[in-house]
Amino acid sequence: MSTGFSNTEFYKELESVLPTSLGDQRKIWVASIIEKNIDIRDLASLLNGEYKVASRFLWLLSEIGLARPDKLFAALPFLLDFTDNMNPVYKTSFANFWLIAGIPPENEGKAIDMSFQWLLSNETNVTIKSRSVLVLFKLTKKYPEIKEELKLCLEDQMDKYSNDFRKRAVKILRELERI
């Protein structure tokens, strides 16, 4: 009788329990994924499941990133491609992933394009807009040519959303003046 760990059984557990999972359970899974060095790519098919499975898996990915940013960072190029033909709302998680783990160099162009789209879209919630601003601000250090576009977008968007968003926009605009 084997008492070893099975990636297949672990995947099945995630698939069945993720929809109703709570933070404490996900912390246990994060620890297992890290300790057993489970490749995130081997779990990515959970994004093909029902919406609650996929959305909780995206939360799990954020939690993995908080525990081990390098592990999430390594999987981001694959995950970005993997989600190309899925529900577009899944892509918005990348604003958070990029803040947690960093932006892989091969994804910087997409990160810029997607972040500007989210910032300017009326469909995007203010949380994703705020994260997009931070991603873009981070990228202005490497790509100073996007600085003016970011300033224009912030000036256009800052009074359309929450007071917190406005405060963040003002702060970023001040910072952009310094660089």
Side-chain angles (χ1 to χ4, degrees):
M1 179 161 97
S2 173
T3 57
F5 182 84
S6 163
N7 280 357
T8 303
E9 290 302 314
F10 183 69
Y11 182 96
K12 287 178 182 176
E13 177 184 344
L14 290 176
E15 191 172 41
S16 69
V17 183
L18 266 171
T20 58
S21 66
L22 299 174
D24 288 342
Q25 178 61 57
R26 288 191 303 276
K27 284 179 187 174
I28 293 168
W29 290 328
V30 166
S32 292
I33 290 166
I34 291 168
E35 288 168 17
K36 311 256 189 247
N37 199 26
I38 297 170
D39 192 330
I40 291 172
R41 295 175 298 181
D42 293 339
L43 303 174
S45 292
L46 290 164
L47 291 167
N48 291 323
E50 66 177 73
Y51 180 76
K52 274 195 157 189
V53 171
S55 63
R56 296 304 194 286
F57 180 63
L58 293 167
W59 295 357
L60 184 68
L61 290 173
S62 292
E63 293 164 359
I64 292 167
L66 290 169
R68 282 277 310 276
D70 59 313
K71 187 161 185 69
L72 178 60
F73 181 87
L76 287 177
F78 171 83
L79 291 169
L80 189 61
D81 288 341
F82 189 82
T83 57
D84 272 347
N85 297 314
M86 294 184 173
N87 185 336
V89 78
Y90 296 171
K91 287 271 197 213
T92 61
S93 295
F94 283 86
N96 193 42
F97 298 160
W98 291 326
L99 288 177
I100 292 170
I103 306 160
E106 63 267 37
N107 293 148
E108 288 172 345
K110 275 187 172 181
I112 291 168
D113 291 343
M114 291 166 64
S115 295
F116 273 119
Q117 286 172 10
W118 294 326
L119 176 58
L120 296 173
S121 172
N122 293 330
E123 311 292 312
T124 305
N125 72 47
V126 73
T127 301
I128 299 303
K129 286 180 181 291
S130 293
R131 290 177 181 159
S132 297
V133 167
L134 294 172
V135 168
L136 290 165
F137 178 67
K138 189 176 194 177
L139 287 165
T140 60
K141 293 170 177 104
K142 188 170 183 179
Y143 301 100
E145 62 273 16
I146 67 171
K147 179 180 152 181
E148 289 305 314
E149 185 176 357
L150 179 56
K151 283 170 65 174
L152 291 171
C153 289
L154 283 172
E155 289 166 354
D156 176 65
Q157 297 287 305
M158 64 192 251
D159 291 323
K160 294 180 180 179
Y161 300 98
S162 69
N163 195 38
D164 285 340
F165 182 82
R166 186 183 195 315
K167 287 178 186 176
R168 172 162 289 149
V170 168
K171 182 179 178 184
I172 297 292
L173 285 167
R174 278 192 214 124
E175 292 292 321
L176 287 170
E177 291 301 322
R178 293 183 201 160
I179 56 174

